Amino acid sequence: MSSDATVRVEDRVLKLTNLDKVLYPGFGFTKGEVVDYYTRIAPVLLPHLKDRPVTLKRFPNGVDGKWFFEKNAPEHRPEWVRTMRLESPGSSKGNETVNYVMVDELATLVWLANLAALELHVPQWTVGPRGGKRDPDLLVFDLDPGVPATVVECCRVAELVRVVLDDDGVDSWAKTSGNKGMQVYAYAPAKDTSEYAKAVAQRLAQEHPALIVSTMAKAQRTGKVFIDWSQNNPAKTTVAPYSLRARERPAVSTPVTWDEVEDCEVVEDLVFTADEVLERVESAGDLFGS
């Protein structure tokens, strides 16, 4: 029996391949299930990808196999996949421009899932219809725990970040990274989001030195949470909300409520798999940005 299929997605026709290939061996989660997840989560995911150039993290042989980042849109792509060529100063590969995939529609998302692009990463800025980069519209604090700290300590730090933002009149919301940490977001309160985030991180590290660091030196991070303010650099990307992560289980970068953040006492409190996220969205809608 073939595990390939030709499907119609809205007004597009796609050929899907190797749908029974297991991409998460520890859970028996197949490529077909990855395609199904991205198809069903699309109504809440697509708005957060709109107008943002997407960097793909592809795992053609599953999460235990070799993987690679892909910024340039694959050459063998359907003609209807929209791309955007943008300048890429400081590219590690010496490329002056990158031709990014723009995920405008469900068919593009399904096509990416079929490429085993398990993880979708986006910047905190958008582009206009002619490729003009806009100022950042989002601010992000990426909370990275140093062993033995976990997402539980990240939650305590997230609460402190929220207080500072509240004092500045800025609403914020949170999501898990789907890996070890979490992120706190806000609509950009300043034009230079990187400097603003750096100031907040340094202030909190000074006020809570036993819990927080604001510098990249890994030697200082043991048992603490690094507030990575540098994710606001326009050249950097952060995993998109509702993106799968390439961990042992098909975990998802999941928007959470502040009540869930405050109530988190063990790591499992904030670990959500694809099926669980679909159930959450069905019952509570999109929590990201609200």
Side-chain angles (χ1 to χ4, degrees), residues 101 217 261:
V101 173
V261 172

Side-chain angles (χ1 to χ4, degrees), residues 16-62:
L16 307 180
T17 59
N18 299 320
L19 292 173
D20 60 358
K21 186 172 188 175
V22 176
L23 297 183
Y24 291 82
F27 275 68
F29 201 77
T30 66
K31 190 204 276 193
E33 289 174 291
V34 169
V35 171
D36 178 67
Y37 168 73
Y38 274 123
T39 300
R40 293 167 63 193
I41 204 66
V44 292
L45 169 57
L46 287 173
H48 302 303
L49 300 179
K50 181 177 171 54
D51 296 333
R52 298 183 195 275
V54 176
T55 296
L56 313 174
K57 197 171 179 182
R58 290 178 57 183
F59 294 78
N61 294 304

